[in-house]
Amino acid sequence: MPKVYFVGCGPGDPDLITIKAKKIIQKADVVVYSGSLIPTQILNFCKKAKLHDASKLVREEIFEILKQNAKKNKIVVRLHDGDPSIYGAIKEQIDNLQPEGIESEVVPGVTSFLASAAALGMQLTLPGVTQTIIITRAESRTKVPKEEKISELAKHKATMIFYLSVHLIPKIVKQAIEGGYATLTPVAVVYRASWNDQKIITGTLTDITKKVRDEKITRTAIIIIGDVIQPKSYEYSKLYDKTFSHGFRKAKIKLQ
């Protein structure tokens, strides 16, 4: 059966592409890639493929390239930055291929919010602080359901992660505070996580907007809001506690 591979190539650093993803693009005949979001070093892995820059194409043109080449039994790859399942628009592509009898396979990749956390050397969930991560985007041309407004999500005071929104950071800050975050809640902005020109900006909801504007960052950045960035205190994990038993280890000390 004809097939199209939807491949996540990671956040930017070519060493962070998965082995499976690299093997597929090395043998690909046709690769449709996400413009400037894919580093040259990763495109160089496409040893024999004809390359198509999706940033210069409209949806119907992308569909046609994928369909026509898959029907010729070529190895066809739709190459996405990060992971295809996060803001990757793969659903519409898969649904367009299916009626044509073309199979789809999704190959996951390291997404940029995880590369951002790694760059910060931080843990996104901490016992005693939060056990929840909210991944979202600020509303702009793409509308957000009313229940998912930033001020509503902020009520949870969880770790909030924003994609595709750094140009709207004043709006994010305003609505995060309206939702209940303290003005001194830590914020981190990671520009082009894992790329050679990566930048990290840290601050609070009070000063992060000015810091980001001073650096002239308007795109390709992840925003993280939450006390996990600089926790005043937190609890140790129960998993390795000497008083805690689980399926692979009995407690060393019994609680009285």
Side-chain angles (χ1 to χ4, degrees):
M1 177 184 285
K3 178 188 280 192
V4 172
Y5 294 91
F6 292 87
V7 176
C9 71
D13 181 348
D15 287 340
L16 292 177
I17 190 171
T18 67
I19 294 171
K20 183 171 185 176
K22 186 176 180 180
K23 284 181 177 178
I24 291 171
I25 64 175
Q26 282 178 330
K27 65 182 182 181
D29 299 308
V30 176
V31 173
V32 181
Y33 68 98
S34 301
S36 62
L37 299 175
I38 310 295
T40 302
Q41 300 98 309
I42 288 177
L43 291 179
N44 288 340
F45 295 149
C46 306
K47 295 180 178 179
K48 61 173 185 170
K50 182 174 182 181
L51 301 176
H52 299 269
D53 183 351
S55 67
K56 296 177 171 60
L57 304 171
V58 297
R59 181 184 294 111
E60 290 76 13
E61 290 171 322
I62 294 171
F63 290 167
E64 198 62 22
I65 292 169
L66 298 178
K67 285 192 291 187
Q68 293 306 319
N69 284 285
K71 287 179 177 179
K72 294 175 184 176
N73 290 315
K74 292 185 177 182
I75 299 173
V76 181
V77 172
R78 177 67 172 95
L79 189 62
H80 288 263
D81 59 302
D83 183 274
S85 68
I86 300 182
Y87 300 110
I90 61 171
K91 174 68 172 169
E92 62 196 44
Q93 297 175 81
I94 292 170
D95 285 353
N96 188 269
L97 296 171
Q98 190 174 22
E100 303 283 337
I102 299 171
E103 183 183 356
S104 298
E105 180 177 336
V106 180
V107 179
V110 177
T111 187
S112 55
F113 88 83
L114 296 176
S116 298
L120 291 162
M122 66 171 290
Q123 186 174 325
L124 293 168
T125 57
L126 274 175
V129 181
T130 186
Q131 293 293 293
T132 301
I133 301 168
I134 297 173
I135 300 170
T136 189
R137 66 184 297 175
E139 185 172 68
S140 183
R141 288 184 294 180
T142 298
K143 299 304 176 185
V144 172
K146 182 174 64 176
E147 299 82 3
E148 296 176 15
K149 300 293 185 185
I150 295 168
S151 56
E152 289 297 313
L153 298 177
K155 291 177 181 178
H156 299 284
K157 298 182 184 176
T159 302
M160 285 192 73
I161 295 168
F162 291 86
Y163 276 76
L164 306 166
S165 303
V166 72
H167 60 297
L168 299 170
I169 197 162
K171 176 180 181 178
I172 291 170
V173 166
K174 180 176 181 293
Q175 293 188 13
I177 293 171
E178 287 174 356
Y181 281 108
T183 55
L184 294 180
T185 300
V187 184
V189 175
V190 183
Y191 170 75
R192 285 165 67 91
S194 84
W195 290 62
N196 290 334
D197 57 350
Q198 169 185 285
K199 285 185 181 179
I200 296 174
I201 303 166
T202 58
T204 67
L205 287 172
T206 301
D207 60 14
I208 196 65
T209 296
K210 182 180 185 305
K211 288 183 175 183
V212 168
R213 284 178 169 171
D214 287 347
E215 292 290 336
K216 297 181 170 55
I217 293 173
T218 58
R219 61 189 298 271
T220 327
I222 292 290
I223 302 169
I224 303 175
I225 301 174
D227 289 328
V228 290
I229 297 170
Q230 289 182 324
K232 294 176 182 176
S233 64
Y234 64 94
E235 298 170 8
Y236 279 12
S237 167
K238 291 285 191 292
L239 183 60
Y240 300 105
D241 193 282
K242 58 190 174 184
T243 64
F244 188 77
S245 296
H246 56 69
F248 297 94
R249 190 199 70 232
K250 293 191 180 297
K252 301 286 186 183
I253 298 174
K254 291 185 178 180
L255 290 173
Q256 299 299 318

